[in-house]
Amino acid sequence: MDKNAISVPRVVPRKIKEKYAVQSPRLVTTDEFLAPGHRACIGCGEALAVRLACKALGANVIIVTATGCIEIISSQLPWTSWRVPWIHTLFENTAAVASGIEAGLKTMIRKGKRPDKDVKIAVMAGDGGTSDIGIQALSGALERGHDFLYLCFDNEAYMNTGIQRSSATPFGASTTTAPAGKKSIGQTTWKKNMPAIAAAHDIPYVATACPSYPFDLMDKVAKGIATKGPAYIHILSVCPTGWRSATDLTIRIGSLAVETGIFPLYEIEDGKYKLSIDFPKLRPVNDYLKLQGRFRHLAEETLNEIQHRVEEEYAKLMAKVALTKGLNE
Amino acid sequence: MTKRVGIEISQAIGEAVKLANIDVVASYPITPQTHIVEHIAELVADGELDAAYIAVESEHSAMSACLGASAVGARAFTASAGQGLELMHEVLYVASSMRLPVVMAVTNRALSSPLSVWGDHSDAMAVRDTGWIQIFTENGQEVVDNVLCAFRIGEDQRVLLPVMIHLDGFHLSHMIEPIYMPEQSEVDKFIPPYQHPLPLNPDKPITMGAFGPPFIYSETKKAQEVNLTAAKEVILQCWKEFASIFKRYYHPVETYHSEGAKVLLLTMGSFSETAMIAIDTMRKEGKNVGLVKLRLWRPFPFYEIRQAVSHAEVLIVLDRALSFGGPAGPVCSEIKAALYNEDKKPKIISFVGGLGGRDITPDGFGEIIDRGIEISRTGSQQEFEMYGVRG
Ligand SMILES: Cc1ncc(C[n+]2csc(CCOP(=O)(O)OP(=O)(O)O)c2C)c(N)n1
Ligand code: SF4
């Protein structure tokens, strides 16, 4: 183990605990907009995240979904799990479809062809549909400033097609197209920083979230959907099937991703960075990695490399928080 | 009666789209289509057309944005050609399969490589099976009239299908022609407001675009096929009503001196106008030749084609696209298939020409017809011949 690794008992995130919502869970709606009975694997973090996000979005929304797990688990003709208007067309074009919906609604309201109701628009796509094949359409829609919320459910690979690597797959993970082998550690590239790419479009709201922190996630989705203009939330979604992890550890693994600093929770509001949970000390990344079969093959040397990188990235994020501290005040 | 105005056909499409009072236009530049979306941009900028103008970042997104707009009940239009049409290929299937009546003008263009911005029908043939209603046009007036008809046909509750209006790149898109532009009041009467029966709306949540496992996929496709085939009746009705108001007549298959002609030439698009000149000349020379023009490409007008050509001895089909390694030009293959089981049918000769913007002159059409007659007698070693090509 790296001598620099910090080992602390499970940290209770102070900020979150202080939130009113945590103490009043009954304020969360009992309405389910993603109906039970969908086809997700046991312990699917993505399905949980979608369910929570839907609670925050409410009923007055149109959801555009990309091809991928979310679509496949929730829609099979002649059934549907959706209790809100929902459209799926293709894999890489969700942001463009949302652009058309937004433009269509706005114009029809202006021309008196639809009642003047502020219907919200949310996109739901996987990391492949977002950071790889859909990045062009997403960039276009963010740049054009359409009023919609884009939710990327990041399970760190193309799961629907069988755990192929994406640009969001973390360094060292074994996937079916970047498998660990005698001469490979699996993924040899570092995870693409998609929230930073979204933020580079100077959109009003960017955030990261994880269903292990359900109230934080719902708060952010509520904020994102209320934002005028484009908003982007990147949601780490534990996938037991693809991560080779125990199905009863989904919540725990999500928490560890945050506690180790591998997936920090933060918001960028009008350019101002804000950590959602500030840990006095980060846990060693191996606490997180060792629970997942996809990292099982990693030697200590690689683990150290990952630890080092995580600390570096975390420091960069903290620097951005410090740099933008006085902004918009 | 309205006045005829001299206008570039691309601009006239913009004017037609304005008359149709569209809600959303998605635009991406590609020659020879760009003048269309540029003109629409001007109309929007000047407040003459109240529409959302989405300057998307690709044709894939252009068609995708149109899907979204149409799914909430907005009237959506885009235009494309060549590589752009190819880039939106997979999206085209979704528009028809999800019954979203988007209207698109396609200024037909050759496909790379080598890059060619000039016209032929390669792009149209590549999207043949996308499930869109597809209409070919010969001149500016036909383009304007059929763009208007496209909205009415596609949005008809019995149809609800996207419609492509094909016009030849440059040969039509960049021509200035005298065109009758209908009055707004006439168009308002002719095209009722678009009402999707089940648009995306929180008041009545529906699921659009669920996936289809093997036990149901075939049924969805059969429904789509039945629907597209049945759309022909509505198309015919629309053209009939158009004629009663505007006194201009459109038919799935049109003919020129074809009655009683022993030899027929079949063309599609703007080349038909040049071919008519050739037919006139040959008729003066005493040759018994005629012309058949295919306007409605999808749904394919089997009945009308059989009616139009079965009496002839020789039918020469000119394609402006190649089906590499295939049995004939793509249009000719379909004509052959449509006639194969008929008792009385002409010999069918396939020519491919006019690729990548190459002209065929009236004399050229004369040569094609003469050579076609010769092949009908002597036969040919080739499945089809390419006209006017070196090497
Ligand atoms: C153009 C296109 N390419 C490939 C596919 C195949 N495909 C469908 S879903 C999928 C993976 C989705 O991965 P991701 O976006 O990460 O979502 P997940 O399933 O992991 O939630 C792929 C590759 C497709 N449907 N369309
Ligand atoms: S593969 Fe992963 S993301 Fe997809 S349904 Fe199963 S657990 Fe969820």
Side-chain angles (χ1 to χ4, degrees), chain A residues 39-47 69 73 155 159-160 238-242:
Chain A
R39 296 176 165 78
C41 313
I42 300 171
C44 175
E46 188 159 293
C69 278
I73 64 168
N155 53 21
M159 292 310 176
N160 182 52
V238 177
C239 166
T241 308

Side-chain angles (χ1 to χ4, degrees), chain B residues 151-172:
Chain B
F151 289 103
R152 178 174 158 136
I153 294 166
E155 294 170 5
D156 189 297
Q157 300 286 315
R158 294 164 292 175
V159 178
L160 286 175
L161 284 173
V163 186
M164 244 180 249
I165 302 300
H166 292 285
L167 63 147
D168 285 315
F170 289 112
H171 281 108
L172 290 187

Side-chain angles (χ1 to χ4, degrees), chain A residues 59-62 71-72 75-80 82-90 92-93 96-97 99-101 103-105 107-108 110-111 113-114 117 119 136-137 140 144 146, chain B residues 21-24 50-52 54-58 60-61 64-65 67-69 71-74 90-91 94 98 199-203 205-213 215-216 220:
Chain A
N60 187 31
V61 69
I62 293 172
E71 167 249 344
I72 289 294
S75 81
Q76 177 181 299
L77 281 172
W79 301 286
T80 180
W82 296 96
R83 291 171 176 165
V84 281
W86 180 89
I87 181 169
H88 157 258
T89 65
L90 292 164
E92 68 277 51
N93 66 345
V97 173
S99 307
I101 290 178
L105 287 179
T107 312
M108 290 178 76
R110 191 174 64 233
K111 290 165 107 174
K113 294 185 181 180
R114 250 183 110 122
K117 274 199 223 161
V119 175
Q136 175 181 317
R144 292 190 299 270
H146 295 280
Chain B
N21 191 14
I22 56 162
D23 301 310
V24 174
D50 185 3
I54 319 179
V56 285
E57 81 303 324
S58 76
H60 195 283
S61 287
S64 299
L67 297 186
V72 290
E90 63 163 348
V91 198
V94 180
M98 287 174 62
L200 292 171
N201 185 351
D203 293 342
I206 56 151
T207 287
M208 277 193 195
F211 80 96
F215 77 84
I216 204 165
T220 67

